[in-house]
Amino acid sequence: MTVVVMKEGATVREISTVLKKVESLGYRPHLSNGNGRTSIGLVGSGVAVSTEDILALPGVADVAPVAKPFKLGSREFRSAPTEVAAGSVVIGGEKIIMMAGPCSVESHEQTMTIAESVASSGGHILRGGAFKPRTSPYSFRGLGKAGLEILAEARRRTGLPIVTEVLSAHDVDLVCEYADIIQLGARNMQNFALLDELGRLTKPILLKRGLMSTIEELLMSAEYILAGGNPNVILCERGIRSFEKYTRNTLDISAVPILKRLSHLPVIVDPSHATGQRDLVAPVARAAIAAGADGLIVETHNDPDNALSDGDQSLTLPQFEQLMTDLRPIAAALGRSM
Ligand code: PEP
Ligand code: MN
């Protein structure tokens, strides 16, 4: 793919001339604004591009090929960090964003108790699954639409935006009605039909790294959503499968700085699924923030021993409050707020 970078302060007219030129060559122009500059990606397969012809247009600063297989998600396409807004919460800015809540929405009372505690501890976004991907079909698979209704009520009560998972393309419109951020889980990272569906929305997407996926594969999945026209993608490192048995997954901590270097998209870490154990969540969470993550997604529960899913890795509500307290000085040391 080729990217046309406009000069700082290029006029609307100059930009529209480039767009027309790009379309006349048979490409779909993909716009991005950041750092006062507009970049235009040439998406699709048009005719060969003459660099000189485009450079000669007024307002054009540079015409460059993007060498990486991921294009719109790359730093080459857009050097400024992307900020994704969910309600009034911005992910990818200077503030570290904490998403917390139960693995599954189990009941009205459970969700309200947890949501109120997340809010009072200073959490920014409420998580909770209504459609749950479970290894066994006999496990609790979520409350479905009723769970989404409960999340919406928790948002009304606390003001916290909600992030919740979609499992199938069939449910995208339903989940979209309720969620502020749609989670695409690890098991669906390469569900290309679902990625295409999420690409036609503008709703923020939290894209989790697959259990056996490389960093490049994660970025290629993000590319599906971006190429579909949805620029609001948040990447999530949640651990990958390895031979190690003391943890549920192996957190790839270096994925955080690597993703930040390769991509302009926000990067968060899930220390709960990465470790699978409550007592490992806090140390790993601290490491993730220190490594440069833009936020965390953490499972919390009012009664983890009786949780219907992932109780072993869920923090108690006081433990989450303590984690918030412990992370603030780390954030401050990095020049970030929480
Ligand atoms: C979850 O967030 O509860 C979940 C199922 O996560 P993952 O897709 O990372 O396993
Ligand atoms: Mn879970």
Side-chain angles (χ1 to χ4, degrees):
M1 190 178 89
T2 302
V3 178
V4 180
V5 182
M6 302 301 292
K7 289 181 181 152
E8 227 177 297
T11 64
V12 174
R13 186 143 175 212
E14 288 168 342
I15 293 168
S16 95
T17 305
V18 173
L19 295 181
K20 278 188 202 125
K21 173 79 178 170
V22 166
E23 278 164 356
S24 75
L25 295 171
Y27 294 94
R28 202 154 36 87
H30 191 106
L31 250 82
S32 180
N33 296 307
N35 282 350
R37 281 169 179 261
T38 298
S39 296
I40 301 161
L42 278 58
V43 178
S45 44
V47 300
V49 176
S50 150
T51 305
E52 294 77 45
D53 280 5
I54 297 180
L55 268 176
L57 296 173
V60 173
D62 196 15
V63 179
V66 178
K68 304 264 179 0
F70 41 92
K71 312 288 183 188
L72 303 173
S74 74
R75 283 271 181 191
E76 288 157 275
F77 173 63
R78 180 189 161 92
S79 57
T82 285
E83 296 187 351
V84 175
S88 60
V89 178
V90 174
I91 304 112
E94 75 75 33
K95 191 167 173 181
I96 286 169
I97 299 303
M98 296 292 287
M99 309 182 187
C103 177
S104 302
V105 173
E106 299 169 10
S107 71
H108 186 271
E109 193 195 347
Q110 169 245 20
T111 304
M112 297 313 142
T113 305
I114 298 171
E116 269 154 21
S117 170
V118 167
S120 71
S121 301
H124 308 101
I125 292 177
L126 178 68
R127 67 148 286 150
F131 293 94
K132 296 302 301 178
R134 301 306 301 274
T135 302
S136 165
Y138 309 121
S139 300
F140 176 64
R141 292 162 72 180
L143 297 178
K145 185 171 182 206
L148 298 174
E149 300 272 6
I150 292 172
L151 286 168
E153 162 75 10
R155 173 176 49 206
R156 273 195 298 278
R157 284 209 199 175
T158 61
L160 297 175
I162 56 184
V163 55
T164 193
E165 180 166 356
V166 70
L167 275 189
S168 94
H170 177 255
D171 294 322
V172 167
D173 290 338
L174 173 69
V175 174
C176 192
E177 259 178 59
Y178 291 87
D180 298 285
I181 302 175
I182 299 180
Q183 176 173 325
L184 188 62
R187 287 154 194 81
N188 267 318
M189 190 203 83
Q190 286 193 318
N191 182 334
F192 300 113
L194 194 43
L195 289 165
D196 277 339
E197 283 297 308
L198 299 177
R200 66 178 176 78
L201 309 175
T202 52
K203 184 82 69 179
I205 309 299
L206 172 57
L207 177 63
K208 299 188 93 176
R209 181 176 180 180
L211 279 71
M212 306 282 278
S213 301
T214 64
I215 290 171
E216 188 161 298
E217 285 163 344
L218 171 62
L219 289 167
M220 294 312 294
S221 289
E223 196 71 16
Y224 268 79
I225 303 170
L226 300 171
N230 185 350
N232 300 311
V233 179
I234 304 159
L235 304 171
C236 180
E237 163 61 37
R238 46 78 75 205
I240 47 179
R241 280 248 164 119
S242 80
F243 50 80
E244 181 49 61
K245 296 207 192 86
Y246 276 103
T247 47
R248 182 175 178 183
N249 291 288
T250 296
L251 181 73
D252 181 4
I253 193 78
S254 47
V256 176
I258 291 170
L259 287 168
K260 296 295 291 182
R261 182 178 72 211
L262 293 175
S263 176
H264 51 83
L265 297 171
V267 178
I268 70 165
V269 167
D270 175 344
S272 310
H273 292 87
T275 61
Q277 292 166 58
R278 193 174 309 145
D279 59 337
L280 296 178
V281 169
V284 166
R286 296 195 294 263
I289 298 302
D294 295 303
L296 300 176
I297 181 162
V298 181
E299 288 182 340
T300 63
H301 203 285
N302 55 330
D303 183 11
D305 290 340
N306 292 301
L308 296 183
S309 61
D310 287 350
D312 290 347
Q313 67 194 34
S314 297
L315 295 184
T316 63
L317 304 181
Q319 281 174 329
F320 178 70
E321 179 152 32
Q322 185 62 48
L323 178 63
M324 291 294 295
T325 305
D326 294 348
L327 292 177
R328 281 193 192 96
I330 301 176
L334 295 159
R336 304 183 76 164
S337 63
M338 239 179 70

